[in-house]
Amino acid sequence: MPRRNQRRPKQVPAVAPVPTGREPRALPPPQADGRQHLAWRFGMADMEGDWGWQDLDAATMQQIIAKLRDFESMTLNEVFHRGDDPGKWYPLAQLPGPAKARLQHLRFDDADAMHRLRVSGSQRIYGFLIDGVFHLVWWDPDHTVYPAPKRHT
């Protein structure tokens, strides 16, 4: 027999789920509003082409990672809506022929635009910005994916 000051835990009767005939849906992903910070995905990284990630040395990879860490501290507005740098985007229709051909080979040519991040001097990272996540595709150390026109020519 339990003492008076010892209480038994309450027993909550089990409630059977009520069938509704509907399946639960997942919430849609959050839309990027420009105030969220940049994040990264590497699943689309091209590992074989002219701008592939396959031949990077350790020092270059450390430089890239350091720059990506810097970008993570910035909002989408700070990266892509200031003008030219550090980030900008190009409609896929404006990309030069070799870049378009490589995107078709990778089956990434169904997007509207490709984004790029300037790492330093002529070094660029190209990818797709989807709901605030930058999906890295190419490493362009010599600025050849979308070369800038020469100034004053």
Side-chain angles (χ1 to χ4, degrees):
M1 183 168 169
R3 292 191 205 169
R4 277 188 139 177
N5 59 358
Q6 287 182 337
R7 296 187 179 184
R8 286 187 263 163
K10 287 186 178 180
Q11 293 184 357
V12 179
V15 178
V18 178
T20 62
R22 297 184 342 192
E23 292 294 320
R25 288 186 281 172
L27 292 175
Q31 295 297 312
D33 65 358
R35 293 178 289 168
Q36 73 185 85
H37 290 267
L38 211 47
W40 314 107
R41 296 287 306 250
F42 292 88
M44 297 174 82
D46 185 357
M47 299 303 286
E48 298 173 359
D50 291 341
W51 307 294
W53 296 87
Q54 69 276 5
D55 294 327
L56 290 177
D57 58 63
T60 303
M61 187 53 108
Q62 287 178 344
Q63 174 192 6
I64 292 168
I65 289 173
K67 195 64 176 179
L68 293 177
R69 284 178 44 194
D70 291 345
F71 286 134
E72 280 183 347
S73 69
M74 301 169 76
T75 65
L76 293 173
N77 282 337
E78 291 171 329
V79 175
F80 290 106
H81 298 289
R82 290 164 120 189
D84 239 10
D85 284 320
K88 69 189 293 187
W89 60 275
Y90 305 102
L92 284 190
Q94 289 183 4
L95 288 177
K100 280 185 199 175
R102 185 65 186 161
L103 286 176
Q104 288 173 342
H105 176 77
L106 296 170
R107 298 183 183 198
F108 296 156
D109 59 331
D110 59 344
D112 294 329
M114 188 161 212
H115 292 72
R116 74 104 169 117
L117 297 169
R118 183 176 184 261
V119 176
S120 70
S122 63
Q123 299 175 335
R124 309 286 191 268
I125 295 173
Y126 285 84
F128 298 104
L129 186 64
I130 304 169
D131 292 327
V133 177
F134 192 91
H135 296 256
L136 287 86
V137 177
W138 292 325
W139 167 244
D140 181 13
D142 301 317
H143 200 347
T144 58
V145 170
Y146 195 95
K150 303 265 185 198
R151 293 184 183 188
H152 310 293
T153 58

